[in-house]
Amino acid sequence: MNTAELTKTARMLMAPGKGLLAMDESNPTCNRRFAALNIPQTPEMRRIYRELIVTTPGLGDSISGAILFDETIRQKISNGAPFADALHQAGIIPGIKVDLGTGELAGFPGEKITQGLDGLTERVREYSRMGARFAKWRAVLAIADGIPTPGGMDANAHALARYAAVCQDAGLVPIVEPEVLMDGNHSLEHCREVTEQVLRTVFHQLHAQRVRLEGLILKPNMVLAGANCSEQPDVDQVADATVTCLLRAVPAAVPGVAFLSGGQPAEPASARLNAMNVRWAPRMPWALTFSFSRAIQQPALEIWSGRAAKGNAARQALLHRARCNSAARQGRYSLDMERSVC
Ligand code: 13P
């Protein structure tokens, strides 16, 4: 393992003013989002949409790395360049989702386990040959009565740690993503407690599996009240609960934290990230940025809706969200930015 190389890549992913773009929706997830907009759910339409994203001029000014799905890393853009090469040319580091989705966790009703450890070494080596420099694995933890259990958290954290060790061995920086879902009516405080426990469990397993903290990125959820909770916190309350939780559970050796958006609308996601950086920057030992999928892509996807004539307008919307989140990563976002939309 080349720790210096891993550390360098992780730092480049956390470059000042930049964050990650998750464009690694699995085919079923991508198809679900296409179906909602009456976009044909074919490999070619998925390719065209992802080409629109990676060929957006100026995207590399706000985006340090983009996470691809297996189908996409094997596809090419119209000029014949593989997607990973097109990203490199745009100044964006290519990454790859390597988990194979979730299944039921046997013995733990209502809990899930992420699959994909079998054959992971070979898959990761192949992705590395294709140009990927980092990887992503998502564990999913729901909040419900008695859930998540210690057994469910242990199993998911162990899988995340084994994945991270395999990636580092192959020279890829692992993005470690334990997502506590926002579905439910739980309070902000309950989400903070669960997220803190999950993160403690993950870092315990990362240590046990000899993962180098300097060569990974953490991709957590923001601490939010459940989507159906009657008492919704304001932006500053979310910022304070989230950073307090991270400070208690994430070692300072980790170079960066890059949030998933988890179904938050685009503007609150930017505002919350901004508030964290405004209120806490001097006290945080890690870079704090974004690794959004929906909160960057959704407005552009809706504008495009499969229509070639809307390509440029969709690119403008994508760039706008990338710039808003770049500003939020620096504590410089404001609602005025939303009014000055192209
Ligand atoms: P969202 O930002 O849409 O939650 O997606 C991020 C991601 O990578 C989920 O695995």
Side-chain angles (χ1 to χ4, degrees):
M1 183 195 310
N2 185 337
T3 306
E5 198 58 35
L6 287 170
T7 306
K8 191 171 147 207
T9 305
R11 292 223 175 109
M12 284 166 69
L13 289 170
M14 292 297 108
K18 297 192 185 183
L20 304 176
L21 168 60
M23 48 182 291
D24 61 328
E25 301 81 10
S26 65
N27 288 346
T29 300
C30 188
N31 287 348
R32 213 170 41 246
R33 293 186 190 154
F34 275 19
L37 296 166
N38 289 321
I39 304 168
Q41 296 115 61
T42 63
E44 179 58 7
M45 286 308 272
R46 293 192 291 270
R47 192 199 65 74
I48 290 171
Y49 173 59
R50 269 109 179 212
E51 174 167 345
L52 181 154
I53 294 176
V54 305
T55 56
T56 294
L59 195 63
D61 295 340
S62 311
I63 302 295
S64 55
I67 314 170
L68 301 172
F69 183 61
D70 178 79
E71 177 182 78
T72 316
I73 202 170
R74 298 177 191 284
Q75 291 175 325
K76 296 183 167 124
I77 64 167
S78 305
N79 71 6
F83 269 82
D85 293 0
L87 284 171
H88 274 302
Q89 277 156 24
I92 298 172
I93 303 171
I96 181 77
K97 170 187 171 80
V98 300
D99 69 68
L100 300 179
T102 58
E104 302 304 321
L105 179 62
F108 292 82
E111 293 187 87
K112 305 249 185 243
I113 184 74
T114 304
Q115 324 206 47
L117 288 176
D118 287 350
L120 183 62
T121 303
E122 292 70 28
R123 284 191 288 124
V124 163
R125 285 188 188 144
E126 185 190 12
Y127 291 138
S128 172
R129 286 195 297 274
M130 290 170 149
R133 291 292 167 264
F134 71 102
K136 186 197 100 170
W137 177 289
R138 172 176 175 253
V140 181
L141 298 116
I143 298 182
D145 242 7
I147 288 176
T149 61
M153 286 188 274
D154 277 346
N156 277 288
H158 184 263
L160 273 170
R162 284 312 312 151
Y163 138 80
V166 167
C167 287
Q168 288 192 337
D169 203 43
L172 268 64
V173 169
I175 306 272
V176 173
E177 181 179 7
E179 176 174 7
V180 177
L181 297 174
M182 59 190 271
D183 304 338
N185 57 9
H186 51 270
S187 66
L188 180 76
E189 180 55 17
H190 190 175
C191 179
R192 194 195 57 70
E193 280 167 14
V194 170
T195 303
E196 184 177 330
Q197 194 53 47
V198 166
L199 293 176
R200 283 186 193 287
T201 310
V202 167
F203 281 100
H204 174 76
Q205 287 289 345
L206 288 169
H207 175 71
Q209 299 302 321
R210 302 182 175 176
V211 175
R212 305 284 164 89
L213 297 184
E214 293 80 0
L216 67 81
I217 304 292
L218 178 71
K219 177 166 172 167
N221 52 285
M222 292 186 193
V223 172
L224 303 169
N228 297 328
C229 178
S230 53
E231 207 174 314
Q232 288 294 327
D234 64 25
V235 170
D236 289 348
Q237 287 171 318
V238 168
D240 291 356
T242 303
V243 180
T244 304
C245 172
L246 295 175
L247 285 171
R248 288 177 183 166
V250 182
V254 172
V257 174
F259 291 106
L260 59 94
S261 58
Q264 300 174 71
E267 292 184 20
S270 300
R272 290 161 176 165
L273 175 62
N274 186 67
M276 291 180 216
N277 280 307
V278 167
R279 293 163 72 82
W280 292 88
R283 283 198 262 170
M284 294 192 293
W286 357 259
L288 199 73
T289 190
F290 57 91
S291 176
F292 298 158
S293 161
R294 282 162 287 182
I296 290 186
Q297 288 187 51
Q298 194 59 28
L301 178 62
E302 287 172 15
I303 290 169
W304 176 64
S305 285
R307 300 166 295 179
K310 296 287 181 184
N312 281 341
R315 284 196 175 97
Q316 287 299 316
L318 183 77
L319 202 55
H320 174 68
R321 287 261 55 87
R323 286 179 174 153
C324 284
N325 288 310
S326 162
R329 186 243 193 280
Q330 303 168 76
R332 294 186 190 155
Y333 168 82
S334 75
L335 276 179
D336 289 345
M337 285 189 76
E338 303 294 356
R339 290 192 205 103
S340 64
V341 193
C342 20

